[in-house]
Amino acid sequence: MPDRLVLLGTKGGPAIRPGGPSPTSTLLDLGGRRIVIDCGLGVSRGLVEAGMPLRELDLIFITHLHSDHVLELGPLIHTAWTAGLDHPVTVYGPGGIGAVWQGFLGSLAYDIATRIADEGRPDLESLVTIHEYGPGLVLETDGLSATALRVDHPPVTNCFALKFEGSGRAVVFSADTAYFPPLADFASGADILVHEAMLPQGVESIVSRTGNGARLREHLIASHTFAADAGRIATAAGVRRLALNHLIPADDPAFGESDWRAALGETFSGELIVGRDGLIIPL
Ligand SMILES: [Zn+2]
Ligand SMILES: [Zn+2]
């Protein structure tokens, strides 16, 4: 399996629209491990479309508990289980991820018990190990390591950028964050930085469509990063490849790839990848 990144869902926020992109999720194939980062709505479909049999589910990392990053965690694992998953799956998430998983198991208790009794499936709960992590080294095993950095995403305090290192590569995800200069140190020397991004002119368009205008504008500006600033982080980190995801806006026909490129024109001169659902990035 070649090392690669597949952007499965690239829009910021939980809404979905006809023909539009899905909320955030990513597949990282690194050193023979399959790592799913975030489980926004559509992650199961995205993995299947990316050619990954769901029964190969292995490691899952959740950056924070906003629904556009965690809504489909339970349904993904459950769908993998009905597809024949029979080995352990490990989920790393911030404090509270255990309750999310237990709540899902509770909500599907009837179906799960029925399938175990009727179809002879293994016990779903015992296949899954949950680790609640904080900043620092999260995982170090078989040539793969994962490190977390708390970022600035109010009002969520447990939101973590993640760095994966393996087979001689380093891949960094910003998670959701306001402009956060310490990310540059964290991402220093990475082969690729996947950073969230927002277009200033797109924010007004979203605010006018969504119906809770002023509060939404306040949240977006306090908690997310303008595209130019994502470029500043990448440049300060010295990374040559920057992939933008969690795009705000992601599905407004008034804004396209050229707007994103223009927004980073003065802050980043390396290889810029504007995320879209299903995009495969060889590493
Ligand atoms: Zn988000
Ligand atoms: Zn968020």
Side-chain angles (χ1 to χ4, degrees), residues 27-261:
L27 170 65
L28 171 61
D29 286 331
L30 188 64
R33 301 299 295 269
R34 315 210 81 158
I35 309 161
V36 176
I37 296 103
D38 282 334
C39 290
L41 192 62
V43 62
S44 311
R45 167 68 61 186
L47 288 168
V48 169
E49 299 292 350
M52 176 180 141
L54 292 183
R55 59 181 300 158
E56 292 181 9
L57 201 59
D58 175 8
L59 288 169
I60 300 174
F61 281 76
I62 301 295
T63 59
H64 66 301
L65 295 187
H66 265 147
S67 61
D68 53 322
H69 300 256
V70 77
L71 188 66
E72 202 170 300
L73 171 67
L76 168 62
I77 298 171
H78 185 286
T79 305
W81 176 65
T82 58
L85 178 77
D86 60 1
H87 59 257
V89 168
T90 310
V91 179
Y92 294 87
I97 194 69
V100 171
W101 172 239
Q102 285 302 321
F104 174 81
L105 287 174
S107 72
L108 265 289
Y110 172 80
D111 176 85
I112 292 166
T114 301
R115 290 183 192 278
I116 291 171
D118 185 42
E119 300 172 14
R121 299 205 177 271
D123 178 44
L124 177 56
E125 185 170 8
S126 65
L127 283 181
V128 178
T129 304
I130 304 281
H131 291 291
E132 298 194 341
Y133 70 83
L137 186 66
V138 176
L139 164 72
E140 191 164 35
T141 178
D142 301 332
L144 173 73
S145 75
T147 313
L149 173 73
R150 191 187 304 278
V151 289
D152 183 21
H153 187 48
V156 180
T157 51
N158 285 327
C159 182
F160 297 98
L162 293 168
K163 174 163 55 186
F164 296 91
E165 291 167 283
S167 54
R169 305 180 204 282
V171 179
V172 174
F173 297 85
S174 71
D176 283 12
T177 182
Y179 178 50
F180 190 58
L183 255 175
D185 265 351
F186 185 68
S188 177
D191 294 273
I192 185 166
L193 170 64
V194 181
H195 201 295
E196 71 131 271
M198 179 167 67
L199 276 180
Q201 63 271 42
V203 168
E204 293 312 314
S205 166
I206 288 178
V207 161
S208 68
R209 278 192 301 174
T210 312
N212 55 339
R215 285 290 294 278
L216 179 64
R217 181 189 291 110
E218 251 175 60
H219 164 77
L220 290 175
I221 289 172
S223 307
H224 295 282
T225 301
F226 286 122
D229 289 331
R232 287 186 176 93
I233 297 288
T235 296
V239 301
R240 300 181 320 276
R241 301 177 92 190
L242 169 63
L244 302 181
N245 80 341
H246 199 277
L247 302 180
I248 300 176
D251 53 3
D252 185 334
F255 303 101
E257 175 139 355
S258 59
D259 297 290
W260 294 100
R261 293 195 176 279

